[in-house]
Amino acid sequence: MISLSSVTKLYNEGRPNGVRAVDNVSLDIGADAVTVLKGPSGSGKTTLLSLIGCMARPSAGRVMIDGRMVSGLPESFLTEERRSTFGFVFQRFNLIRGLTVLENVMLPAAPLGPDPQALAEAARDRIAALGLADKADTPVEHLSGGETQRAAIARALINDAPVLIADEPTANLDTDLTHRFLDIVADLRAEGRTVIMTSHDPRIWQSDLVNAVIEMQDGRVTGAFA
Amino acid sequence: MTRWWRRQRALADFTLAALARRRVKNIGLVAIYALVVFVVASAMFFSTALKREAGLVLADAPELIVQELRMGRHEMIGADAIGALAGIRGVTRVTGRLWGYFYDSVNGANYTMMVPDDPALAPGPGEAVIGEGIPRARGLAWDTAPLFLSRHSGDLQKFEVTGRLPTGSALVSSDLILLDEADFRAFFDLPEGIYTDIAVSIRNSREIDTIVTKAERLMPSARFVTRDDISRTYEKIFSWREGVMVALAGAALLAFAIFAAEKASGLSAEEAREIGILKAIGWNSSDVIAMKLWEGGLVSAGAFLLGTVTAYLHVFLFSAALFAPMLKGWAVIYPDFALAPQIDALQLTTLFLLTTLPYIAATLVPIWRAASADPDQIMR
Ligand SMILES: Nc1ncnc2c1ncn2[C@@H]1O[C@H](COP(=O)(O)OP(=O)(O)OP(=O)(O)O)[C@@H](O)[C@H]1O
Ligand SMILES: [Mg+2]
């Protein structure tokens, strides 16, 4: 269970270009549930995800994860929280150029001291599940948009984190691949894990899998549907 | 423990993959770095080897050498001086030495001709024992081919070569020809009863000053050269200590300059973004720093290894060819001489620490800053 109370995030506070990216948001996100954030561009979806994912600190308000207060913790604790709790699919993918798909996917697990063989196998399985097996050894900068997106999804899943945070995960995928992604989401939900995503994609928020849709506008939550 | 190792292995693997990505830049970095190490290590190997050669020369040198001077120039010395010197208290042995130089007009080389101190080493009449540089300089067909020396046109002296001097010290023995005393005197047309100079052995080296004072009174026109004098001369010629210190300091400065240019400018945008990504996907600051330590360690250790190995080959296999100008003015056959391999472990360790530690330390400073910042910028 993740809960936010009166969370606000300001960028460039006190300057003419100051932005209230997230404005006084209070929200509870269920554990074994799939939650989708929707709203127009610039409405604060990505910012809200980064606050939930311990990537940024709120300017005001509190973020709690399973009853632990994380919003005031120093960076070293937040890293620990990110590692043990979250897998991320970033809106801009953020794969490391020059490394192969396989290397990128293995990366989040590297500091955990994994068994190299077992890790490589698990990574290839994730890659294959997303239909990318033949690109596993290709450097990521040679991939198409959809392939890059799938590599990013595979990387987010490698550590079997309890919470998957995905920012527009299907923006570059066709219908068939979108359904593959939804199959993975269904598996995660069946395993009792939490999925939080943003999406402009009706195929996502109209899916039966989704437990809650949260609408945002100008940094505020304007509606929540279960 | 295995977990720790696996973590290190995973980080090192990633580092290698990351280094391979910026191949050109990293090869350039290693090349410059290795060049610095190469120059310093060459100077180090060279001076250590020369020092050892000089040490061998000194070990063989008598405590005191007495030379006759006339008009400030080295002159032959009479045998009567031997008796006079032997009478001084504390002197154990006095021997007249015979040595000289021979200019070989065939190839322009200079040889040192000598009658060995120890009669057991002396070749028989008509025979010669030669240093390893001689056959090379003369192009002798086989090891024991006879040696023909010509003092002027129409003259030809033949010596049977009965032995080769061991190559323990190339500096000492390379250009040497040992002869029987009678042959030596005949070759240089030198009458009985005079010597090139006189070697004096003494019982207690602390008495040397007293003995020299007494000998000066007996032979006011002579010059007295003690082993300390020779040692000091060698130190001056090679001045290894100063040389090595200057070289090491220079290396440290250069290593500093390299990373200053490379690292002090801060991280490239690409590098900073990568650190942000790594942190966002769950790496903590110490993971990032450990990875960068691997990177710095691999770069600097690789460069160090490359630099020292090439320096070793340069000095001991290619006779320090790049330092040849330093050797000019020596006998013609010297530039060919091979130094006996010799490594000073302490110097090498110092060089290693002086070049790698500052590099690694300076690499880490900007990383530290980047690694402890919030990674939310990369969300966008
Ligand atoms: N680091 C930042 N510095 C300054 N302004 C920022 C920063 N991050 C976000 N913003 C601003 O905050 C607002 C919300 O941005 P955010 O990225 O959360 O929107 P979004 O809902 O994800 O939009 P999109 O659908 O286009 O991805 C925007 O006006 C954006 O310009
Ligand atoms: Mg966004």
Side-chain angles (χ1 to χ4, degrees), chain A residues 7 26 32-34 51 55 61 75 81 83 88 97-99 101 109 113 142 161 169 173 175 194 208 217 223:
Chain A
V7 170
S26 297
D32 46 13
V34 177
L51 292 168
M55 210 81 81
E75 169 58 21
E81 200 65 48
R83 170 188 291 185
F88 291 95
R97 294 159 55 81
L99 298 185
V101 172
H142 296 161
L173 302 185
T175 304
T194 312
D208 297 340
Q217 177 91 52

Side-chain angles (χ1 to χ4, degrees), chain A residues 48-60:
Chain A
L48 193 64
L49 284 187
S50 69
L51 292 168
I52 294 170
C54 300
M55 210 81 81
R57 268 173 276 223
S59 311

Side-chain angles (χ1 to χ4, degrees), chain A residues 11 46 50 55-57 75 79-80 82-83 88 90 92 94-99 103 107-108 110-116 155, chain B residues 3 6-7 9-11 14 17-18 21 270 273-274 277-285 287 372-376 378-380:
Chain A
Y11 287 113
T46 298
S50 69
M55 210 81 81
R57 268 173 276 223
E75 169 58 21
T79 317
E80 212 42 56
R82 281 196 295 275
R83 170 188 291 185
F88 291 95
F90 303 100
R92 301 227 176 113
N94 285 326
L95 296 172
I96 293 192
R97 294 159 55 81
L99 298 185
E103 286 165 338
L107 216 44
L112 304 173
D115 171 42
R155 183 180 66 180
Chain B
R3 205 183 157 75
R6 285 211 210 119
R7 172 172 179 259
R9 211 202 110 171
L11 293 175
F14 172 69
R21 262 166 337 142
E270 176 84 0
R273 187 174 153 273
E274 278 178 19
I277 294 174
L278 292 173
K279 292 211 67 193
I281 63 174
W283 288 40
N284 60 33
S285 307
D287 298 328
S372 36
D374 284 350
D376 76 308
I378 65 119
M379 285 289 278
R380 297 157 45 73

